[in-house]
């Protein structure tokens, strides 16, 4: 079974897309088991999210949706982005190539 250290590969950090609460639960369980954390917070106090930065040193942090979406729009693309579902399913290419969110929804426009 794949793990988060494998997901990092040689990268210092990656950004991970989590589509659903079920994916969040699986991700959080793996992260806690492998010693990753959101600062000093115990795992039971972690708050679900859709985009998480995972660092080689074991630290994690939620990404603002604005930053996540904008990272797909500009020339500066930021760290490697991982689609957690594809990673877990064993896909050879588990890169996330779309934000899965629309900027106008984030700005409150329809």
């Amino acid at each position: 079974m794949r793990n988060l250290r494998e997901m990092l590969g040689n990268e210092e950090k990656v950004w991970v897309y989590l589509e659903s609460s079920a994916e969040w639960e699986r991700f959080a369980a793996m992260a806690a088991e492998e010693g990753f954390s959101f600062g000093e917070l115990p795992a039971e106090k972690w708050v679900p999210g859709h985009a998480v930065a995972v660092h080689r040193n074991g630290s994690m942090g939620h990404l603002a949706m604005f930053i996540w979406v904008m990272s797909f729009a500009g020339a500066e693309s930021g760290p490697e982005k991982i689609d957690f579902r594809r990673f877990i399913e064993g896909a050879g290419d588990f890169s996330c190539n779309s934000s899965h969110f629309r900027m106008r929804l984030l700005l409150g426009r329809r």
Side-chain angles (χ1 to χ4, degrees):
M1 180 171 146
R2 290 181 153 173
N3 61 46
L4 299 185
R5 297 275 176 205
E6 180 182 347
M7 184 176 61
L8 277 161
N10 294 325
E11 301 294 326
E12 184 60 33
K13 67 182 166 196
V14 295
W15 289 357
V16 182
Y17 169 67
L18 302 153
E19 181 176 38
S20 66
S21 58
E23 284 183 18
W24 165 263
E25 293 298 325
R26 188 157 184 197
F27 170 82
M30 288 175 66
E33 184 176 303
E34 293 180 48
F36 287 88
S37 66
F38 288 92
E40 299 293 321
L41 281 177
E44 60 272 3
K45 293 196 178 209
W46 294 355
V47 176
H50 289 288
V52 176
V54 178
H55 299 258
R56 178 167 302 291
N57 69 2
S59 66
M60 298 187 299
H62 290 285
L63 291 165
M65 267 310 111
F66 180 80
I67 300 298
W68 173 258
V69 170
M70 291 305 294
S71 74
F72 289 90
E76 182 61 38
S77 61
E80 183 177 351
K81 296 170 203 70
I82 306 295
D83 183 318
F84 186 71
R85 179 186 48 80
R86 291 174 54 199
F87 174 75
I88 289 303
E89 290 175 350
D93 179 13
F94 44 82
S95 298
C96 189
N97 300 313
S98 165
S99 75
H100 302 280
F101 299 95
R102 295 193 336 241
M103 180 56 73
R104 45 183 221 202
L105 290 177
L106 294 174
L107 297 175
R109 300 182 195 139
R110 300 238 172 229

